[in-house]
Amino acid sequence: MERAAWAPPGIDISMPSVSRMYDFYLGGSHNFEVDRQAARKALEFMPGLPKVVQANRAFMRRAVRYALDAGVTQFLDIGSGIPAFGSVHEVALTADPAARVLYADRDPVAVAHARALLETEDRAAAVVADLRKPRQILDSAELAGLFVPERPVALLLLSVLHFVEDADDPYGAVAALRDACAPGSLIVISHAAYDGVPVPEEQAARAVDVYREIRNPLIMRSRDRIARFFEGYEMVEPGLVSPPCWRPDSPAEQEDPFAFAGFAGVGRTA
């Protein structure tokens, strides 16, 4: 298999990556044939997956604007994937040049691409780090070089928690990140669930099986289990809802049915 020039040395390009599959769903070019094959297999059972990820991106942009309006200008995007058009730093820095953004992802390809994109940008950075090991992020030189500890942070966990199994204690990781942030910080979460999926659950489960086959299990948690990630935060209206229903810019009923899959919400600490 030919290695693309943008692929860092040492990565296994024979195994699909969820971040590169996500890039494929968004129409990006930073993916390999092995990623496209896995993504196409998932699309056989969930043909609306591109609409799911587009709705997630639209929610992110609205949440970033909400954070800025609330006076929060530091953004920590964990599990950020491969930056695409309209990424967090583009939205935040366009609205407020004083904003700061740190991307963190365990996929070296995602981080390499982010660093190349941010090469001339001193208000944003990227670090290779794993959500399951919060200290990797909190103790990073990149975070220390960008963020002011006393100021609130918008913690973005978009389409990442459903790739952390319960055995790896995702609730403990989120709590550690929460406790490290200043008062007035925000948490922004989107999470996959069978709720809202416009196909039979048995069919959707076949798409979930694709991720298990590539050794990146997709954990479809219930609404109550997703709500547990907001412990220690006060939910921002309208609460934990389908992504298109969170402070929409246009009538949510105009969205594609697949856009309503899963849940999204924002919380704020006292």
Side-chain angles (χ1 to χ4, degrees), residues 2 37 39 84 91 121-122 124 149 185 194 200 206 214 217 226 232:
E2 184 177 353
Q37 288 177 354
V91 178
E121 178 55 73
D122 61 3
S185 291
Y194 287 117
R206 299 289 297 278
I214 66 171
I226 297 169

Side-chain angles (χ1 to χ4, degrees), residues 4-266:
W6 48 262
I11 68 163
D12 183 1
I13 62 174
S14 66
M15 176 59 66
S17 154
V18 294
S19 63
R20 298 194 303 266
M21 289 170 67
Y22 195 92
D23 178 68
F24 174 72
Y25 295 141
L26 285 171
S29 59
H30 286 79
N31 48 78
F32 300 117
E33 181 57 29
V34 67
D35 306 306
R36 295 188 286 273
Q37 288 177 354
R40 291 183 188 116
K41 188 173 180 181
L43 285 167
E44 291 178 10
F45 307 107
M46 282 275 288
L49 276 171
K51 295 296 184 182
V52 175
V53 300
Q54 289 166 19
N56 181 68
R57 298 279 295 180
F59 162 69
M60 174 273 288
R61 290 190 287 270
R62 298 195 302 274
V64 167
R65 293 196 300 267
Y66 170 83
L68 291 168
D69 289 343
V72 180
T73 59
Q74 300 187 129
F75 296 86
L76 176 54
D77 186 358
I78 303 177
S80 51
I82 296 172
F85 177 76
S87 292
V88 173
H89 75 282
E90 294 178 335
V91 178
L93 295 176
T94 297
D96 187 345
R100 297 294 182 267
V101 178
L102 178 61
Y103 293 114
D105 202 289
R106 63 178 180 175
D107 184 344
V109 169
V111 175
H113 183 52
R115 285 173 172 167
L117 189 67
L118 301 170
E119 190 173 8
T120 60
E121 178 55 73
D122 61 3
R123 298 167 295 177
V127 60
V128 178
D130 194 327
L131 170 59
R132 296 171 297 181
K133 301 173 182 178
R135 294 312 321 179
Q136 285 185 346
I137 304 165
L138 297 172
D139 297 336
S140 69
E142 290 84 354
L143 186 143
L146 275 178
F147 286 8
V148 177
E150 296 78 16
R151 295 179 183 171
V153 173
L155 174 60
L156 309 181
L157 298 170
L158 300 160
S159 293
V160 62
L161 286 166
H162 50 233
F163 289 114
V164 183
E165 298 181 80
D166 288 344
D168 290 319
D169 191 18
Y171 298 103
V174 171
L177 291 164
R178 177 199 66 212
D179 294 345
C181 293
S185 291
L186 302 174
I187 190 168
V188 180
I189 292 176
S190 62
H191 196 298
Y194 287 117
D195 302 69
V197 176
V199 297
E201 184 172 321
E202 296 79 8
Q203 179 178 330
R206 299 289 297 278
V208 173
D209 288 342
V210 172
Y211 287 89
R212 185 176 299 110
E213 291 166 4
I214 66 171
R215 301 201 295 272
N216 279 282
L218 180 58
I219 313 302
M220 304 289 272
R221 295 186 172 94
S222 67
R223 187 183 186 281
D224 286 346
R225 293 176 68 201
I226 297 169
R228 282 183 57 197
F229 289 115
F230 290 91
E231 288 183 0
Y233 292 89
E234 181 180 350
M235 291 296 298
V236 171
E237 290 293 335
L240 189 59
V241 295
S242 296
C245 297
W246 197 89
R247 299 185 177 227
D249 294 324
S250 57
E253 56 268 19
Q254 296 178 3
E255 294 285 348
D256 183 279
F258 274 95
F260 294 89
F263 291 101
V266 175

